[in-house]
Amino acid sequence: MKTTHIVLIGVIAIAVGVLIMASGDMGTYETFAEAAKKEGTVKVVGYLSKDKPMEYNPEKDANSFSFYMSDESGAEKKVILKAAKPQDFEKSESIVLTGSIKGDTFVATDMLMKCPSKYVEEETRVKAAI
Amino acid sequence: MEQVNYVNEHLLPGQIGHFLILLSFVGGLLATLAYYFATQSQIKNLADGAVWKRIGRVSFITHGLSVIGVMGVIFFIMINKYYEYWYAYDHVSNNLSMRYIFSAFWEGQEGSFLLWMFWHVILGFVLIVKAKEWETSTLAVIALVQTFLASMILGLYFGPDDLKIGSNPLVLVRDVQNIPLFDNPNYIIQDGQGLTPLLQNYWMTIHPPTLFLGFASTIVPFAYAIAGLWTNQHKSWIKPMLPWALFSGAILGLGILMGGAWAYEALSFGGYWAWDPVENMSLVPWLVLVAGIHTALVSKNTGYSIKTTYLFMLLTFVMIVYSTFLTRSGVLGDTSVHAFTEMGLEWQLVIFLATFLILSIALLISRRKSIPSPKKEESAYSKEFWLFIGALVLIFSSVLITFTTSIPVYNKIATFFNANAEQLSPPTDVIAHYNKYQIWIAVMIGLLSSIAQFLRYKDAKGFASKYMKKATTHLVLAAIVAIIFTALATQVININAWQYTILMWASWFTIFANGDYLVSIIRGKIKIAASPIAHIGFGIMILGTMASGLNKDVISAKTLMNVDLIEGFAAEDAGENVLLRKNLPTQMGDYLVTYTNDTTKGQSRFFSINYKRYSDDKKLLEEFDLEPNILYDRQFSKIEASNPSTKHYVHRDIFTHISALPKAEMEPRFAKELEDSLKYLPYTISLGDTIQTQNYQVVFNGYNANPVNSYYRPKQGDVARGAKLMVQLANSDSSATWKAMPIMLRRGESQYEIADKIPELKFKVKFAAKHFEQERDLNYKEYRFKVGETATIGKYEVTYEGIEREIDRAKYGGVSETAIGARLKIVNTETGEDTIAVPIYYLDVERSQQFNIPEEIRSWGLKFQFASPDPKTESIQLFIADNLPTEEKIIVEIAENALHDYVVMQAIVFPGINLFWIGSLLMLLGLAMGMWQRRKAIVSADS
């Protein structure tokens, strides 16, 4: 057997090992109920409850934005995002939160929101443009 | 359906464009076939090859010109703002500046496909001229890819289910929309939706073309690899391919780097790299390409690693297509911030990807026996062996990145088989996840790029050779110097984990070993300097990422307010945003930061943020202003974008962006609501006295006849009087004082009370209606005087001494030429004291109205008004009140906790970020130099 083959096998072995390790970092998307049972940070997908209050008062705390989100099972919970209120938040279609449950609220350290493509609501927009 | 004849549409360009799209598709298909047959004839040495080649050329040139034509048509439609076309409507608007027309063009998926195709066309043209015997085979590959890409913009519908093939960039709005508007044959769309403000940026004009040239250029090494396998010329394809691969490496690298620069300079996420899926998937092909370049060098010099080179060059392009699939199919939706939205072409993209993946694998397998490889195995002391290992490390890196980035794909596949499959999520801390593996990759690359640099091809002697001993000495020396420099650097750069110490050492080692190689082994010969220069660049780049990444200092999280005042406050709880009240300095890290001013230019509002740094003995060391801005939409109804501003120093950057504003300014519709909700309380203040409000002490220091305040600028003809107020914090040791000046103003016939504010105190003050009632309580009596006459009012004798014509204009606003004063002498008969009063009368010529400015003698309780002169009888009419309270009082209304004049911002210091840019550019320069040398070698070999 050539040295290169041995090296190759070695590298593949390490690669498989590292990939298995790396996949340990992956999680699954949780609901609030599941998140409550878990320790540490989790990801929760859901939708903004548009009828519930959103609060961002930078004079009180510039790094706290609260709103309500319902997860994929339909359960609703208050969320506190430890950051400023993102622009166009009202328009978000779905939200992915990273954080953990603390008491009654979900405290999010990071949030990714999916905004509607430009193609939604276009009827109203075309009208507005005419 | 009823046919409507629309009057205002410009259909001709669309029809020409449609035709050109079809022509480009057909041309591409024909070129593929013709070049295929030409290549087959070439392999079999048949005579008809020349004919096929000619057909191929004509078809490809037709295809290329059509692509350029389609782009021309789209630009024409966009520049002329023919909003009946969806592309113009969706990406252009009336107020879009022409310099962003390119950004608008590639904002859309169709436009960016065309941009990609455009570069393929240009590269194809170059190959037609330059590739000689490789023309037919490489062009066949390029034409096939182009056919696939052209199909993405076809916009045809097939079959009963209306299967969509491609998305046509030339559709009309009324093809997409079915709204009543289009029942009107005279309809006109007046304005388009315009370009996302985030893309209205010069980076967006240059970044996509560069990145797409980088993407597109990977097709050349790919085409050569396919051609080599196809025609069984396993050795000769590498030499002409190599300069192209190096070119591609340099340009793709530059494109990625520009993306980072754009993110850093124009977006507000505060950094140049965030391991976002879209970023990752542009990096991965580059890594594979660089691995391929290294194995290609091995193949060219030793004949080893040809199979690997094939594999990597094929994989580079396949990864480009995979990347295209990920970013354009909408798969990344949940995990990336800047993926395109879906346009219904997922299956077409999958077929595109599958075709080239299967073609690559099939060719490699079918030719595996005929690919030569030396019988003798590489020596462990040879350069080729370690280059090969280095390439594997790079591939390993890209496998890891792809593995995590592809999570949404696993989910899609799982859902395809089982609709309820559990969805995997990316790691909760993505950046930490990638970094923890990639730092070891970087360490290995650093070590290998230094050691392999000193090794020689086909060297089997190992330490037996004299050179090897010398090389070892050099490397050991570099390692020692690197230890010293690591120790020194850790004094400046805060390293928080041992892993990073090793990475730091590896970077220094790379810099010194390669630098040493450059100086003492190849003695600065520029011809062969490409590789050490690129590797030095790599070392510097890694140093830069550590300096700027590990020591990135969010100083806005470290304000006194945040950290010192709250007990038990943990630094990690600090949010990154801080609220800065106007003119109230806040200490952030080393800087005293003050929001001083804001100005509106067009739709943008710029905020002046002043930074000052003092030495321990309070000497000002540095001062600068940053001007982050926000962009409102056209109606000023909401904020569309927040653009950061960065102070660049050689050794560090200070980055600032606005993350929020008061609600009233985020959405101006709240402004009135806010004023209405202010809670004013009345206060009476005597001259010179201090009163206590809820939070402040307020002193009334008299009147100013020429007042100016935050809401009032004097206009000609105004008669204004301001109350000088001094405000201090109550219950505070601080001796800081602020000034406020509420104003009463007479402009024309109207009387106004103008408030004043002290934003940093959230303090607002205005005259109360009651203040003016004081005047009402005075018992004015009318008097008529001729010169020299005297009247007795209580214990005072008032004598009219005559008219004064020299009146200080400041006293009455200075518009009227007819202002006169009545000179009065008042004698206190009890004490014998006397004094002079000159009440003023004037006529506003323009409005032909009479006004007067009264004069008071406070301590005697007298007030005089000069009501009118009577020229006929040479008398004057005066009103005199003798019950003026001897104490001067103002009655004002003060609102506290009322004002919202602040910004919420983020400030980050990036030390050593220039090392990152310099290192990266040096690495790309190395690639470009390599390309230049390889290219020159080919030219000189030919001649």
Side-chain angles (χ1 to χ4, degrees):
Chain A
M1 209 188 301
K2 283 185 173 185
T3 329
T4 34
H5 289 158
I6 299 170
V7 170
L8 216 56
I9 291 167
V11 167
I12 292 171
I14 295 170
V16 170
V18 173
L19 286 182
I20 291 169
M21 256 167 72
S23 60
D25 281 356
M26 294 178 195
T28 49
Y29 293 109
E30 315 286 351
T31 59
F32 285 131
E34 290 159 348
K37 288 179 216 147
K38 294 218 171 172
E39 297 254 321
T41 50
V42 291
K43 283 183 184 275
V44 181
V45 191
Y47 307 92
L48 173 67
S49 308
K50 298 196 175 171
D51 52 335
K52 286 281 175 65
M54 271 178 256
E55 205 181 325
Y56 179 61
N57 183 358
E59 290 175 86
K60 230 169 86 193
D61 186 349
N63 296 294
S64 170
F65 168 51
S66 76
F67 58 94
Y68 287 82
M69 183 181 99
S70 51
D71 65 15
E72 292 195 310
S73 71
E76 195 173 69
K77 204 166 218 19
K78 186 174 180 181
V79 178
I80 294 174
L81 176 69
K82 304 298 276 174
K85 181 185 173 191
Q87 273 153 42
D88 272 347
F89 182 70
E90 288 84 353
K91 281 201 217 148
S92 69
E93 226 169 37
S94 70
I95 304 170
V96 183
L97 298 173
T98 307
S100 57
I101 297 265
K102 290 207 177 114
D104 286 344
T105 51
F106 186 88
V107 178
T109 49
D110 192 27
M111 178 171 79
L112 198 120
M113 40 177 215
K114 196 179 172 188
C115 277
S117 66
K118 287 179 86 172
Y119 306 90
V120 192
E121 286 180 74
E122 58 206 22
E123 183 162 331
T124 50
R125 291 225 215 157
V126 173
K127 275 182 187 155
I130 292 159
Chain B
M1 204 183 115
E2 202 185 331
Q3 191 66 39
V4 188
N5 271 321
Y6 295 103
V7 181
N8 298 312
E9 292 181 340
H10 309 80
L11 294 181
L12 184 65
Q15 284 154 355
I16 295 173
H18 266 183
F19 171 73
L20 289 176
I21 289 173
L22 283 174
L23 193 61
S24 78
F25 179 73
V26 175
L29 197 60
L30 207 60
T32 313
L33 292 173
Y35 273 126
Y36 171 81
F37 288 121
T39 311
Q40 290 297 85
S41 305
Q42 205 175 307
I43 295 170
K44 294 171 193 153
N45 267 322
L46 298 178
D48 59 352
V51 180
W52 282 120
K53 185 168 160 182
R54 206 171 309 133
I55 300 175
R57 277 189 178 177
V58 172
S59 316
F60 190 82
I61 291 169
T62 309
H63 159 84
L65 295 178
S66 307
V67 169
I68 295 169
V70 175
M71 294 175 78
V73 167
I74 297 176
F75 273 119
F76 178 78
I77 286 169
M78 292 171 79
I79 290 168
N80 285 300
K81 304 191 164 120
Y82 291 160
Y83 294 127
E84 61 268 32
Y85 288 95
W86 181 256
Y87 212 79
Y89 169 70
D90 201 30
H91 302 293
V92 185
S93 58
N94 291 339
N95 66 345
L96 184 75
S97 153
M98 270 304 128
R99 65 197 154 123
Y100 297 129
I101 198 81
F102 289 103
S103 302
F105 182 82
W106 36 75
E107 184 195 21
Q109 289 232 38
E110 296 87 350
S112 62
F113 268 125
L114 276 164
L115 178 61
W116 189 8
M117 290 169 77
F118 169 77
W119 287 124
H120 279 165
V121 165
I122 300 295
L123 294 166
F125 286 175
V126 173
L127 285 176
I128 288 177
V129 178
K130 297 271 180 190
K132 303 202 179 83
E133 73 271 23
W134 294 99
E135 177 193 335
T136 58
S137 44
T138 53
L139 259 295
V141 178
I142 295 179
L144 181 61
V145 173
Q146 285 294 81
T147 310
F148 271 95
L149 289 177
S151 78
M152 303 287 173
I153 54 166
L154 267 181
L156 295 180
Y157 293 84
F158 281 101
D161 300 333
D162 265 357
L163 180 70
K164 183 183 173 190
I165 301 204
S167 171
N168 179 358
L170 291 161
V171 289
L172 299 172
V173 177
R174 65 176 158 91
D175 295 333
V176 189
Q177 302 260 299
N178 188 11
I179 57 172
L181 170 76
F182 299 118
D183 296 340
N184 175 2
N186 294 310
Y187 89 94
I188 296 178
I189 300 177
Q190 300 288 3
D191 200 356
Q193 308 209 51
L195 177 64
T196 311
L198 288 178
L199 305 182
Q200 295 186 20
N201 187 291
Y202 65 93
W203 285 108
M204 272 297 114
T205 308
I206 56 172
H207 160 57
T210 314
L211 187 66
F212 273 100
L213 177 57
F215 274 8
S217 59
T218 60
I219 203 175
V220 185
F222 175 75
Y224 270 104
I226 297 274
L229 288 167
W230 183 3
T231 60
N232 274 311
Q233 305 181 70
H234 303 300
K235 282 187 167 166
S236 53
W237 70 282
I238 290 176
K239 203 177 163 195
M241 178 276 293
L242 203 48
W244 283 105
L246 287 157
F247 169 75
S248 188
I251 298 293
L252 183 56
L254 188 64
I256 298 169
L257 195 63
M258 279 181 175
W262 167 60
Y264 179 62
E265 290 290 327
L267 298 183
S268 48
F269 76 76
Y272 47 84
W273 193 260
W275 294 110
D276 182 275
V278 172
E279 297 167 354
N280 294 349
M281 288 324 287
S282 61
L283 178 65
V284 164
W286 186 81
L287 289 172
V288 179
L289 178 67
V290 171
I293 289 170
H294 285 87
T295 57
L297 286 169
V298 171
S299 307
K300 197 175 111 343
N301 286 300
T302 66
Y304 287 105
S305 296
I306 294 178
K307 267 183 218 165
T308 334
T309 307
Y310 270 131
L311 179 69
F312 292 172
M313 288 306 174
L314 295 173
L315 191 61
T316 300
F317 181 73
V318 170
M319 288 316 288
I320 290 277
V321 180
Y322 181 59
S323 160
T324 306
F325 163 73
L326 282 185
T327 48
R328 286 164 188 268
S329 64
V331 162
L332 291 181
D334 274 349
T335 59
S336 167
V337 235
H338 36 209
F340 281 94
T341 46
E342 42 214 284
M343 62 176 194
L345 299 182
E346 296 76 43
W347 286 110
Q348 223 173 322
L349 285 164
V350 169
I351 293 168
F352 182 28
L353 176 61
T355 305
F356 287 92
L357 183 63
I358 291 166
L359 177 71
S360 303
I361 294 172
L363 263 174
L364 260 184
I365 291 176
S366 73
R367 295 290 193 267
R368 70 184 189 285
K369 291 273 158 57
S370 64
I371 300 171
S373 72
K375 287 278 166 297
K376 208 170 134 263
E377 69 172 300
E378 298 105 315
S379 145
Y381 299 109
S382 68
K383 192 178 194 117
E384 57 269 29
F385 180 76
W386 291 102
L387 278 180
F388 177 74
I389 305 286
L392 285 185
V393 171
L394 285 169
I395 295 297
F396 184 38
S397 162
S398 47
V399 167
L400 271 172
I401 298 171
T402 313
F403 179 70
T404 308
T405 309
S406 299
I407 289 173
V409 179
Y410 313 147
N411 286 339
K412 267 274 146 67
I413 296 170
T415 315
F416 185 74
F417 290 108
N418 170 11
N420 298 317
E422 193 168 28
Q423 301 283 293
L424 285 174
S425 76
T428 44
D429 189 345
V430 176
I431 293 178
H433 167 81
Y434 285 107
N435 285 352
K436 94 176 152 202
Y437 299 110
Q438 298 299 330
I439 61 167
W440 295 113
I441 305 273
V443 168
M444 281 191 274
I445 302 278
L447 289 176
L448 289 168
S449 72
S450 310
I451 296 168
Q453 195 66 267
F454 278 86
L455 299 175
R456 291 179 299 185
Y457 287 117
K458 297 178 185 162
D459 188 341
K461 285 200 210 120
F463 290 101
S465 77
K466 209 177 139 199
Y467 171 82
M468 202 61 172
K469 282 176 190 146
K470 184 179 151 196
T472 313
T473 322
H474 277 268
L475 283 169
V476 169
L477 219 62
I480 293 168
V481 177
I483 292 175
I484 297 167
F485 269 77
T486 305
L488 289 175
T490 45
Q491 303 300 311
V492 188
I493 302 174
N494 178 31
I495 302 281
N496 48 15
W498 60 272
Q499 291 93 330
Y500 288 114
T501 315
I502 293 177
L503 182 58
M504 162 91 59
W505 173 78
S507 316
W508 284 118
F509 179 56
T510 313
I511 295 167
F512 287 116
N514 281 284
D516 180 23
Y517 183 80
L518 189 63
V519 175
S520 51
I521 307 289
I522 64 173
R523 298 183 192 282
K525 262 178 255 153
I526 205 80
K527 265 183 167 175
I528 39 177
S531 139
I533 285 182
H535 293 142
I536 291 172
F538 173 79
I540 296 176
M541 180 189 87
I542 297 295
L543 278 185
T545 54
M546 275 195 286
S548 62
L550 292 178
N551 286 9
K552 162 179 161 174
D553 190 2
V554 186
I555 55 173
S556 52
K558 292 186 171 172
T559 60
L560 278 179
M561 195 164 45
N562 280 350
V563 182
D564 283 5
L565 298 183
I566 304 167
E567 223 167 292
F569 185 91
E572 53 269 27
D573 285 350
E576 302 198 331
N577 301 292
V578 66
L579 182 132
L580 268 195
R581 292 193 189 284
K582 198 168 187 172
N583 296 330
L584 194 69
T586 303
Q587 188 74 37
M588 294 185 202
D590 292 340
Y591 291 97
L592 192 64
V593 186
T594 317
Y595 155 42
T596 55
N597 199 9
D598 69 282
T599 43
T600 305
K601 289 176 207 155
Q603 260 135 251
S604 297
R605 192 155 152 217
F606 291 82
F607 297 88
S608 302
I609 311 290
N610 176 270
Y611 284 76
K612 284 197 187 85
R613 191 161 63 87
Y614 292 96
S615 63
D616 289 338
D617 51 346
K618 305 281 176 215
K619 269 209 306 233
L620 184 65
L621 295 176
E622 70 176 280
E623 179 177 8
F624 56 88
D625 278 332
L626 287 179
E627 294 227 316
N629 69 81
I630 52 145
L631 183 71
Y632 286 107
D633 69 350
R634 269 178 276 172
Q635 290 81 37
F636 277 91
S637 60
K638 70 179 194 52
I639 292 174
E640 296 238 303
S642 167
N643 300 309
S645 169
T646 306
K647 174 76 184 173
H648 299 277
Y649 283 113
V650 174
H651 61 300
R652 67 169 163 208
D653 281 8
I654 295 105
F655 168 96
T656 295
H657 90 99
I658 303 292
S659 32
L661 289 175
K663 210 174 167 192
E665 280 155 30
M666 298 282 272
E667 292 173 70
R669 70 191 160 94
F670 289 114
K672 195 184 171 313
E673 200 177 291
L674 193 79
E675 179 65 26
D676 291 349
S677 71
L678 286 192
K679 217 171 137 195
Y680 282 103
L681 291 173
Y683 296 93
T684 306
I685 318 172
S686 303
L687 183 65
D689 269 10
T690 303
I691 56 129
Q692 176 84 35
T693 71
Q694 217 173 329
N695 301 312
Y696 309 108
Q697 290 179 337
V698 184
V699 186
F700 170 43
N701 282 331
Y703 283 105
N704 183 335
N706 293 294
V708 170
N709 74 15
S710 22
Y711 297 104
Y712 173 68
R713 294 286 172 277
K715 235 170 121 178
Q716 269 211 338
D718 285 355
V719 178
R721 222 150 93 96
K724 293 188 274 188
L725 301 181
M726 196 180 79
V727 182
Q728 262 183 301
L729 291 168
N731 319 318
S732 163
D733 299 337
S734 160
S735 59
T737 59
W738 287 265
K739 282 179 180 163
M741 188 175 286
I743 292 172
M744 42 191 154
L745 165 71
R746 193 164 66 201
R747 179 175 286 171
E749 287 163 79
S750 311
Q751 188 83 37
Y752 302 93
E753 299 93 56
I754 296 169
D756 197 11
K757 62 176 175 178
I758 305 173
E760 57 270 36
L761 301 183
K762 306 201 286 183
F763 177 96
K764 207 165 173 181
V765 57
K766 61 184 183 190
F767 277 106
K770 276 207 173 129
H771 178 81
F772 302 98
E773 289 173 12
Q774 291 185 87
E775 183 76 12
R776 213 177 50 193
D777 295 336
L778 296 182
N779 60 345
Y780 280 110
K781 284 194 189 110
E782 189 188 340
Y783 295 86
R784 280 179 187 277
F785 288 96
K786 282 188 176 163
V787 178
E789 284 182 347
T790 301
T792 304
I793 302 159
K795 59 184 176 182
Y796 302 105
E797 280 180 353
V798 180
T799 313
Y800 170 46
E801 296 191 325
I803 293 290
E804 269 198 14
R805 295 185 190 276
E806 301 282 308
I807 306 294
D808 182 3
R809 287 179 175 228
K811 282 189 177 163
Y812 65 95
V815 274
S816 170
E817 297 302 324
T818 61
I820 47 173
R823 186 181 165 85
L824 305 173
K825 185 176 178 182
I826 304 108
V827 180
N828 184 337
T829 52
E830 281 177 8
T831 62
E833 284 174 287
D834 62 57
T835 184
I836 301 288
V838 188
I840 295 166
Y841 162 88
Y842 72 93
L843 187 72
D844 186 325
V845 185
E846 271 174 47
R847 299 190 186 85
S848 63
Q849 273 174 346
Q850 313 177 60
F851 296 105
N852 77 76
I853 296 166
E855 174 113 8
E856 296 166 352
I857 302 170
R858 249 320 142 173
S859 51
W860 292 355
L862 297 176
K863 187 163 182 176
F864 305 92
Q865 279 190 23
F866 185 177
S868 66
D870 187 349
K872 272 187 228 157
T873 58
E874 289 185 357
S875 65
I876 59 165
Q877 181 193 29
L878 283 183
F879 286 98
I880 302 175
D882 63 353
N883 65 337
L884 186 69
T886 47
E887 214 178 16
E888 170 124 42
K889 278 182 191 154
I890 55 167
I891 304 174
V892 290
E893 289 182 330
I894 293 173
E896 293 170 63
N897 290 324
L899 258 162
H900 302 263
D901 207 348
Y902 60 79
V903 294
V904 177
M905 55 161 253
Q906 219 176 54
I908 308 174
V909 177
F910 289 99
I913 194 167
N914 280 337
L915 289 175
F916 171 76
W917 303 119
I918 291 168
S920 308
L921 288 172
L922 212 54
M923 196 160 69
L924 302 180
L925 176 74
L927 285 166
M929 284 169 66
M931 176 197 85
W932 199 251
Q933 288 308 325
R934 301 285 157 198
R935 171 96 207 104
K936 251 169 84 179
I938 292 173
V939 173
S940 59
D942 283 356
S943 58

